[in-house]
Amino acid sequence: MNKVVAIIVFWCCSVLSFGQTNLVPNHKFEEYTLSCPGNNFSFIKNWFEGAGSVNFFHKCKTQPSWPFGSGIPANNCGNQSALSDSAYLGFALYSSIPQNGIKEYREYIEVKLYDSLKRNYTYCVEFYVSLADTADYAISSIGAYLSIDSISNDCISTCLLNYSAQIQNDSLNIITDKQNWVKISGSFVAKGGEQYLTIGNFYGDNFTERHLQKVSNNSVLGWSEAAYYYIDDVSVFACDSPAVSINDSSFVLISNVFSPNQDGVNDVWEVTANQVLQLSVQVFNRWGEEVYAFNSSALGGQQDTTLSMTYNPAWDGFTKSGLPVSDGTYFYVISYTLPNGETKVEKG
């Protein structure tokens, strides 16, 4: 197993449960208004177009050719399975030729978050893309912009949304993979009040064309001269607070470095509880599923609940069923009772 699992220490003040940690509604595009939707983006719940004409792909469609090519895995833009579940979106992020007379043609997807972002909190953003088979161009200019108000462009002369994206793929990382899903991720400190997420190419052609690659020579529907990508599984979640603070650190120490790759360094995530009456530890993935649990009351033998004890539970990065967890950010809830009988809860 070769992976890095990040467990980041922060105070969790939100009333949301761990199953609601992701602030992006319909983040896998699985909610729509028809039993078997077509490629019309308007069928998707919560999401809307910031510019251009975005396409919706779903596995219930079986016709791979245009204009009915909105299936999964086969569709008019190529062949690609969903990252998870049964749907994804497709959008053009660059075109080497004007589309309907529009220069700098772009397509953007946009959604209103469940909640606005808190000032000075650090938020992590993740999504996955894959280059369509019919695309002749691959680019690196793919990013995410968080804003207080929604943004849009009517595409009269250009479709470009000229904003400084907080999350931006590395300009040297041209995404050419047409077989696999490529993760784009990053973090930023919120100014406060941001509640809309927009994903697309926020660079003009001058910059984009300095960081692109010609990958094939197709001639399909005019989109061969474009960088057309599928997108799936979008997440925005708080991953750090303005100030790291752990109360009663003399009683409970929580490690915040965890890389279970069996190299002998930080292979386990540990909690050291010194002289406490009780200790409970739970670890959840970002979907709210419990992957690890420890409870001192479940230990064998008789325990004197008035006697202070030292505990040192450790998680090795495997689920309770013995399977390695995937790369990502995980969340913990730790409850412990101090010698004076006071119960404390740490979340991070």
Side-chain angles (χ1 to χ4, degrees):
M1 177 175 61
N2 185 11
K3 59 173 76 260
V4 175
V5 178
I7 295 187
I8 303 172
V9 180
F10 73 109
W11 279 112
C12 181
C13 300
S14 172
V15 297
L16 296 176
S17 70
F18 280 110
Q20 296 172 305
T21 299
N22 187 358
L23 296 176
V24 179
N26 196 13
H27 68 288
K28 296 183 180 180
F29 316 114
E30 294 296 320
E31 299 176 28
Y32 36 81
T33 58
L34 292 180
S35 59
C36 185
N39 67 343
N40 192 324
F41 184 73
S42 63
F43 295 132
I44 299 293
K45 291 184 177 180
N46 303 108
W47 291 83
F48 54 96
E49 294 161 331
S53 180
V54 179
N55 291 116
F56 176 50
F57 299 90
H58 194 278
K59 71 177 183 180
C60 69
K61 293 292 184 179
T62 59
Q63 171 58 258
S65 61
W66 184 264
F68 306 105
S70 56
I72 291 178
N75 53 65
N76 61 284
C77 295
N79 192 299
Q80 177 65 57
S81 297
L83 175 66
S84 57
D85 296 324
S86 57
Y88 52 72
L89 302 182
F91 56 168
L93 302 183
Y94 163 80
S95 177
S96 64
I97 59 176
Q99 296 293 328
N100 298 320
I102 300 171
K103 296 181 179 180
E104 292 189 315
Y105 184 80
R106 305 284 190 272
E107 294 175 350
Y108 300 87
I109 59 173
E110 190 167 351
V111 66
K112 185 176 182 180
L113 304 178
Y114 282 122
D115 195 9
S116 58
L117 307 188
K118 297 179 176 62
R119 179 177 174 81
N120 291 334
Y121 276 66
T122 299
Y123 289 86
C124 292
V125 181
E126 300 176 354
F127 55 93
Y128 293 79
V129 299
S130 181
L131 184 64
D133 292 336
T134 56
D136 278 354
Y137 289 92
I139 64 171
S140 64
S141 303
I142 306 174
Y145 178 65
L146 284 296
S147 57
I148 294 177
D149 299 314
S150 62
I151 58 177
S152 63
N153 190 327
D154 55 14
C155 292
I156 293 178
S157 60
T158 177
C159 290
L160 177 65
L161 291 175
N162 191 18
Y163 293 86
S164 297
Q166 296 96 331
I167 307 302
Q168 185 63 56
N169 179 50
D170 191 321
S171 61
L172 300 180
N173 181 33
I174 299 175
I175 300 176
T176 61
D177 200 327
K178 294 185 176 183
Q179 302 298 321
N180 305 295
W181 289 96
V182 179
K183 181 179 179 180
I184 296 177
S185 62
S187 63
F188 77 106
V189 178
K191 294 181 178 179
E194 297 93 335
Q195 58 181 338
Y196 288 91
L197 168 69
T198 306
I199 300 176
N201 176 9
F202 296 91
Y203 287 107
D205 283 353
N206 287 338
F207 181 90
T208 301
E209 290 172 354
R210 293 199 303 269
H211 305 87
L212 62 74
Q213 182 177 332
K214 187 74 176 289
V215 293
S216 58
N217 289 286
N218 294 306
S219 57
V220 181
L221 304 174
W223 284 119
S224 62
E225 295 298 320
Y228 190 91
Y229 286 86
Y230 304 120
I231 182 170
D232 201 358
D233 200 354
V234 182
S235 300
V236 175
F237 53 93
C239 49
D240 204 356
S241 65
V244 175
S245 175
I246 294 295
N247 283 346
D248 305 300
S249 59
S250 60
F251 291 101
V252 175
L253 299 176
I254 306 169
S255 62
N256 62 356
V257 179
F258 186 27
S259 56
N261 54 10
Q262 300 180 8
D263 64 353
V265 180
N266 300 318
D267 282 337
V268 295
W269 176 73
E270 295 181 284
V271 176
T272 302
N274 295 304
Q275 303 304 307
V276 299
L277 302 180
Q278 171 274 338
L279 176 69
S280 172
V281 179
Q282 292 176 286
V283 178
F284 301 86
N285 62 23
R286 60 193 174 110
W287 294 284
E289 300 165 336
E290 186 182 79
V291 295
Y292 171 77
F294 170 86
N295 196 319
S296 60
S297 63
L299 298 177
Q302 297 294 319
Q303 281 193 295
D304 185 348
T305 57
T306 66
L307 179 65
S308 297
M309 301 288 291
T310 296
Y311 301 100
N312 186 217
W315 180 44
D316 60 2
F318 285 77
T319 66
K320 292 186 289 185
S321 60
L323 298 175
V325 299
S326 59
D327 296 357
T329 300
Y330 292 77
F331 305 87
Y332 63 77
V333 178
I334 298 173
S335 171
Y336 56 97
T337 304
L338 301 177
N340 64 5
E342 181 182 3
T343 297
K344 296 283 188 176
V345 177
E346 312 287 0
K347 298 179 181 180

